[in-house]
Amino acid sequence: MKRILESVFVLVLGFCFINTRPATVQERYMDRFKNIAMEEMKRSGIPASIKMAQGIMESMAGRSELAVNANNHFGIKCKANWQGGTYLYVDDDRDSSGNLVQSCFRLYQSPEDSYYDHSEFLKNRSRYKSLFSLPAHDYQ
């Protein structure tokens, strides 16, 4: 009987260890920013899942140079009308000779500011206007 109980204990203990794993970088990112993504979804109509997916991809789940040093989680460049802070970073822009040059990216005070501005960026650009005519639950 003692041997059976020991075996059951070992199995239960092993099962507990199998089902507990450290969270992935992406899971930690989602846990940290899910509330702001959901708030922005309510405010702007942009699905939180889309915002989270783009934030994870563009910022390497919060680990990219732009996310760490500029709180820029979506890789938004300055553009001509940007009035806020800036951060120079070598991206994909090239000079007339084809050499990579520094690009001007938006600098934010906080990641939350980046999430808010990302919504505004999408809502106010003609390039993305057609996305807002789709039904909110149309995943296709």
mmCIF file of all heavy atoms in Angstrom, residues 122 124-130:
data_model
loop_
_atom_site.group_PDB
_atom_site.id
_atom_site.type_symbol
_atom_site.label_atom_id
_atom_site.label_comp_id
_atom_site.label_asym_id
_atom_site.label_seq_id
_atom_site.Cartn_x
_atom_site.Cartn_y
_atom_site.Cartn_z
ATOM 1 N N LEU A 122 -4.190 54.811 -37.314
ATOM 2 C CA LEU A 122 -5.001 53.985 -38.201
ATOM 3 C C LEU A 122 -6.319 54.668 -38.563
ATOM 4 O O LEU A 122 -6.759 54.625 -39.717
ATOM 5 C CB LEU A 122 -5.285 52.623 -37.564
ATOM 6 C CG LEU A 122 -4.075 51.708 -37.356
ATOM 7 C CD1 LEU A 122 -4.503 50.419 -36.669
ATOM 8 C CD2 LEU A 122 -3.373 51.408 -38.665
ATOM 9 N N ASN A 124 -7.024 57.839 -38.759
ATOM 10 C CA ASN A 124 -6.916 59.099 -39.495
ATOM 11 C C ASN A 124 -6.107 59.017 -40.786
ATOM 12 O O ASN A 124 -5.811 60.058 -41.379
ATOM 13 C CB ASN A 124 -6.335 60.178 -38.577
ATOM 14 C CG ASN A 124 -7.265 60.460 -37.421
ATOM 15 O OD1 ASN A 124 -8.458 60.625 -37.603
ATOM 16 N ND2 ASN A 124 -6.720 60.495 -36.213
ATOM 17 N N ARG A 125 -5.768 57.855 -41.233
ATOM 18 C CA ARG A 125 -5.023 57.689 -42.486
ATOM 19 C C ARG A 125 -5.960 57.105 -43.539
ATOM 20 O O ARG A 125 -6.615 56.093 -43.298
ATOM 21 C CB ARG A 125 -3.820 56.754 -42.313
ATOM 22 C CG ARG A 125 -2.734 57.273 -41.393
ATOM 23 C CD ARG A 125 -1.879 58.296 -42.144
ATOM 24 N NE ARG A 125 -0.690 58.701 -41.459
ATOM 25 C CZ ARG A 125 -0.628 59.598 -40.479
ATOM 26 N NH1 ARG A 125 -1.714 60.153 -40.038
ATOM 27 N NH2 ARG A 125 0.522 59.936 -39.947
ATOM 28 N N SER A 126 -6.002 57.731 -44.699
ATOM 29 C CA SER A 126 -6.884 57.250 -45.772
ATOM 30 C C SER A 126 -6.536 55.819 -46.173
ATOM 31 O O SER A 126 -7.403 55.055 -46.593
ATOM 32 C CB SER A 126 -6.814 58.189 -46.976
ATOM 33 O OG SER A 126 -5.489 58.262 -47.469
ATOM 34 N N ARG A 127 -5.273 55.471 -46.028
ATOM 35 C CA ARG A 127 -4.822 54.121 -46.386
ATOM 36 C C ARG A 127 -5.584 53.032 -45.623
ATOM 37 O O ARG A 127 -5.784 51.932 -46.119
ATOM 38 C CB ARG A 127 -3.323 54.026 -46.096
ATOM 39 C CG ARG A 127 -2.710 52.697 -46.362
ATOM 40 C CD ARG A 127 -1.240 52.740 -46.048
ATOM 41 N NE ARG A 127 -0.602 51.480 -46.373
ATOM 42 C CZ ARG A 127 0.666 51.234 -46.251
ATOM 43 N NH1 ARG A 127 1.483 52.184 -45.812
ATOM 44 N NH2 ARG A 127 1.167 50.071 -46.551
ATOM 45 N N TYR A 128 -6.009 53.330 -44.400
ATOM 46 C CA TYR A 128 -6.668 52.338 -43.548
ATOM 47 C C TYR A 128 -8.173 52.570 -43.416
ATOM 48 O O TYR A 128 -8.846 51.822 -42.724
ATOM 49 C CB TYR A 128 -6.027 52.338 -42.156
ATOM 50 C CG TYR A 128 -4.541 52.105 -42.191
ATOM 51 C CD1 TYR A 128 -3.649 53.141 -41.951
ATOM 52 C CD2 TYR A 128 -4.018 50.854 -42.495
ATOM 53 C CE1 TYR A 128 -2.280 52.933 -41.999
ATOM 54 C CE2 TYR A 128 -2.656 50.634 -42.549
ATOM 55 C CZ TYR A 128 -1.794 51.685 -42.298
ATOM 56 O OH TYR A 128 -0.434 51.471 -42.350
ATOM 57 N N LYS A 129 -8.692 53.606 -44.061
ATOM 58 C CA LYS A 129 -10.096 53.992 -43.911
ATOM 59 C C LYS A 129 -11.068 52.848 -44.207
ATOM 60 O O LYS A 129 -12.053 52.656 -43.503
ATOM 61 C CB LYS A 129 -10.399 55.190 -44.799
ATOM 62 C CG LYS A 129 -11.674 55.896 -44.460
ATOM 63 C CD LYS A 129 -11.743 57.213 -45.217
ATOM 64 C CE LYS A 129 -12.766 58.126 -44.636
ATOM 65 N NZ LYS A 129 -12.376 58.816 -43.437
ATOM 66 N N SER A 130 -10.791 52.071 -45.242
ATOM 67 C CA SER A 130 -11.710 50.991 -45.635
ATOM 68 C C SER A 130 -11.860 49.932 -44.538
ATOM 69 O O SER A 130 -12.892 49.271 -44.454
ATOM 70 C CB SER A 130 -11.242 50.333 -46.927
ATOM 71 O OG SER A 130 -9.994 49.694 -46.737
#
